[in-house]
Amino acid sequence: MSETLYRLADPTCVAPLVQSWAAWWMTVAPIPASLHVHKSQLPLLKGYLQNPDFHARAAKDPALSGGTFVGVASERAGEVKALLQQMQEAQADRVRLAEALEEFQGWLVDEAKGQSLEPLYEKLPEPLRGMVELSYDYINRPFVRVMEGALYRGNHHKPQLQSLRLLPLASDASRPHLFTTPYLMEPGQIDWAIPFAEERISRLFETDLSPRPLGYLRDVLGPAVTRDEQLLPLLTDAPPAKYTPWEGPGPRVRYLGHACALVEWKGITLLVDPVISARPSEGGMPRLTFHELPPRIDYALITHSHPDHLAIDTLLRLRHRIGHLVVPRSNGFLVGDYSPKLLARSMGFQNVLELESYESVPLPDGELIAVPFLGEHGDVGHAKSSYVVRTGKQQLLFAADSMCVDDAVYRDMRQNLGPIQTVFMNTETEGAPHTWTLEALFPKKRDRKMEKNRRCRGSNANEGLRILELVGASRLYNYAMGLEPWLEHIIGPPSPPDAPRMKESDRLLTEARARGLTAERLMGPTDLLPGA
């Protein structure tokens, strides 16, 4: 009699955590994580403990979605207090680093007016020594350049605080909000204390496609599992789906949701902005989950670091399948302009390509090309890139949240690459404030009135139409609209039809069709055959 083989059940969600908080770049990259714990997480927990009932109620109010409220029931305030104390102890050196950086940057701006910076190294506080370089821009504004690679080798990078939480996902709305609510232990969950770079993580996730005996899974998880009864409810003995490679004459694009799309072309697979969800036990919008994806993903492409585009949970689960992770290049001049390449390598990725604009990677009868991602989109000069995928004579632009604020960028794109027939682009007229995810990176004193028109927005309808015209597009797919419910724990609930961004999307589609383009707004899994 053959031994029963298991894989993770479809409703089993695996959430990477850093000391009980969801992992994203602001909790993993050393300098941003230091600032974030000091100026965001610790104050948030302290505020919750002053009025747990208010936070718990506000976190459930749809009208307050996106607010800084801890969604933990008041009867569990004692657990939040214990977490606060543990964080203050385990991350005290990060807090000292953040305090030193904030104070020194303010002092440096007042002190450095164009004279040599060399004598000022003597004023560096101890937490910054050996970690930063002082420099000017070309109009003599001083700044601190972080030596990020050194920080990943030092005490401020804390893999010992990393873990994976295995949990049964009842509904998409049941996940704690990524930015504001820590994961407290619940019945039926397993907390696996393991650094993200560990190879054993891949051994667990390999079972998505190659189920293994229960004993194998117990060995992989080690002390995190003491009884089979803990593990079995999170497993299934149902065989994984069989993937059938695409062999069509042209490319196939499998839209998976939000900004995530799988391009299949001549045996090569490219996965753009991978955000994949478990399938909740209580149902919900149909989706493709991990065991239904190809066994090999040749290139995974990241446009930018917002966690609805760079999802650490998805990347870790697919790490063993990804041949090359492609990320935008960081300039490193701002403390928040962390390196996605260094982040990826800290998570165990060996083959990371950091592409400059118009740098390319050859494909069979095709090419992958990094192209400009224009607009602040809430970030100030941080790493970001759009991508063009050429498949034979067809070209596809994955523009993510890029804007058209300079016609010449897209005019040059067409001149450099030729007509781009298919464009995937977002439509966002308002967007969250530019500090939505980055408040901890900013000095406390600044003119917020001047910042009101800086939003995490994409192109409006007029800008979108201009992009389509400039690149010579004949097909538009309006995507990354936040309509899939598995994005709710990151960006809040889907927009209703009468929301400004949806009205702008409707206008874009109507105008594009009037100009003779094929135009469609995407929501949920859809197979597309560009050029067919």
Side-chain angles (χ1 to χ4, degrees):
M1 185 175 180
S2 61
E3 193 170 9
T4 303
L5 303 180
Y6 295 95
R7 60 176 176 88
L8 294 175
D10 287 5
T12 297
C13 173
V14 183
L17 307 179
V18 179
Q19 203 164 19
S20 296
W21 290 86
W24 57 298
W25 69 271
M26 283 284 284
T27 61
V28 179
I31 284 285
S34 298
L35 291 164
H36 190 62
V37 73
H38 171 51
K39 298 176 70 175
S40 180
Q41 289 179 333
L42 294 179
L44 189 58
L45 295 186
K46 291 175 183 177
Y48 166 85
L49 291 172
Q50 290 177 357
N51 196 337
D53 284 325
F54 171 75
H55 272 258
R57 288 196 304 269
K60 293 180 179 179
D61 187 346
L64 299 177
S65 175
T68 52
F69 306 108
V70 179
V72 174
S74 58
E75 57 266 25
R76 305 191 72 177
E79 296 172 68
V80 174
K81 183 178 181 180
L83 174 61
L84 174 63
Q85 293 171 339
Q86 292 161 9
M87 291 176 64
Q88 289 172 324
E89 293 171 4
Q91 303 194 58
D93 56 342
R94 279 183 166 178
V95 171
R96 288 192 294 271
L97 177 65
E99 290 173 335
L101 180 61
E102 184 176 33
E103 181 179 353
F104 182 76
Q105 285 188 117
W107 177 86
L108 183 66
V109 168
D110 292 336
E111 182 69 21
K113 303 299 182 183
Q115 77 277 25
S116 172
L117 295 170
E118 293 171 7
L120 303 188
Y121 280 87
E122 295 181 358
K123 302 294 185 180
L124 277 173
E126 187 59 36
L128 298 183
R129 290 187 176 271
M131 301 294 175
V132 300
E133 180 183 12
L134 308 183
S135 190
Y136 285 114
D137 64 17
Y138 291 117
I139 53 175
N140 285 338
R141 291 176 300 192
F143 63 91
V144 176
R145 188 182 72 84
V146 175
M147 300 179 187
E148 193 175 2
L151 283 158
Y152 273 105
R153 292 176 175 267
N155 294 330
H156 296 98
H157 177 49
K158 297 191 177 295
Q160 71 274 18
L161 300 182
Q162 297 172 356
S163 67
L164 296 185
R165 182 71 56 84
L166 281 68
L167 56 98
L169 187 67
S171 68
D172 288 308
S174 64
R175 294 189 68 173
H177 194 280
L178 185 84
F179 303 134
T180 63
T181 303
Y183 279 68
L184 303 184
M185 280 296 292
E186 304 283 355
Q189 297 184 358
I190 293 174
D191 194 55
W192 185 21
I194 186 169
F196 299 154
E198 283 279 345
E199 184 273 338
R200 278 193 300 150
I201 289 176
S202 291
R203 289 174 58 197
L204 172 66
F205 293 146
E206 284 168 357
T207 65
D208 283 334
L209 299 183
S210 301
R212 296 298 185 93
L214 186 61
Y216 175 90
L217 291 163
R218 284 198 309 264
D219 290 343
V220 169
L221 293 167
V225 175
T226 57
R227 296 174 292 106
D228 290 351
E229 290 75 13
Q230 287 178 275
L231 185 54
L232 282 169
L234 299 171
L235 305 178
T236 180
D237 59 2
K242 182 175 175 57
Y243 169 72
T244 303
W246 173 247
E247 297 179 351
R252 177 174 70 176
V253 179
R254 308 198 83 177
Y255 176 69
L256 303 181
H258 197 57
C260 182
L262 174 68
V263 182
E264 300 168 281
W265 165 251
K266 294 200 170 184
I268 297 293
T269 54
L270 303 94
L271 189 60
V272 185
D273 283 340
V275 179
I276 308 298
S277 170
R279 186 174 286 127
S281 58
E282 295 177 1
M285 182 183 289
R287 69 203 69 187
L288 294 180
T289 192
F290 295 95
H291 70 93
E292 295 161 323
L293 299 179
R296 167 85 176 178
I297 297 164
D298 295 286
Y299 298 95
L301 317 179
I302 304 298
T303 58
H304 62 300
S305 290
H306 283 170
D308 56 324
H309 298 262
L310 193 165
I312 289 179
D313 55 351
T314 298
L315 290 178
L316 285 178
R317 192 149 178 179
L318 296 178
R319 184 179 67 192
H320 65 285
R321 301 195 218 178
I322 294 173
H324 292 84
L325 182 64
V326 182
V327 300
R329 182 180 181 273
S330 163
N331 292 309
F333 293 133
L334 302 171
V335 294
D337 188 22
Y338 84 105
S339 167
K341 178 178 70 175
L342 290 177
L343 177 78
R345 288 186 173 161
S346 81
M347 299 191 304
F349 283 88
Q350 301 300 315
N351 300 316
V352 186
L353 302 178
E354 186 184 56
L355 298 185
E356 299 270 6
S357 284
Y358 291 105
E359 191 174 5
S360 68
V361 176
L363 305 175
D365 191 20
E367 195 175 8
L368 163 64
I369 310 152
V371 295
F373 180 146
L374 207 61
E376 280 187 273
H377 191 51
D379 298 343
V380 187
H382 292 182
K384 56 186 184 290
S385 178
S386 299
Y387 298 97
V388 168
V389 178
R390 180 172 66 81
T391 57
K393 296 181 180 180
Q394 292 290 318
Q395 296 201 101
L396 304 93
L397 169 62
F398 293 92
D401 302 302
S402 186
M403 298 163 56
C404 186
V405 291
D406 182 359
D407 284 8
V409 168
Y410 298 96
R411 189 179 298 116
D412 292 349
M413 195 179 296
R414 179 171 181 174
Q415 182 176 343
N416 289 330
L417 305 178
I420 298 171
Q421 296 89 348
T422 303
V423 173
F424 292 77
M425 61 174 292
N426 169 270
T427 311
E428 175 61 273
T429 57
E430 295 177 325
H434 75 124
T435 55
W436 175 55
T437 62
L438 304 176
E439 180 65 29
L441 301 177
F442 287 79
K444 294 178 181 177
K445 294 181 180 180
R446 60 189 195 274
D447 187 352
R448 291 179 181 269
K449 291 181 180 179
M450 294 293 292
E451 299 177 358
K452 285 187 176 180
N453 66 343
R454 292 170 66 183
R455 314 290 293 189
C456 294
R457 77 172 187 91
S459 289
N460 58 34
N462 289 338
E463 292 165 344
L465 291 166
R466 190 67 177 139
I467 290 175
L468 297 171
E469 177 185 344
L470 290 166
V471 302
S474 55
R475 283 179 294 278
L476 162 68
Y477 294 112
N478 187 202
Y479 81 151
M481 296 294 289
L483 301 179
E484 292 81 10
W486 55 89
L487 274 297
E488 186 169 337
H489 72 291
I490 302 174
I491 58 177
S495 298
D498 60 348
R501 70 192 314 245
M502 300 304 293
K503 290 182 178 179
E504 198 72 6
S505 171
D506 290 339
R507 190 164 78 87
L508 171 65
L509 296 172
T510 299
E511 290 289 337
R513 290 165 186 154
R515 297 183 183 190
L517 278 71
T518 299
E520 181 181 353
R521 182 166 58 226
L522 299 176
M523 182 177 70
T526 310
D527 281 2
L528 309 169
L529 301 176

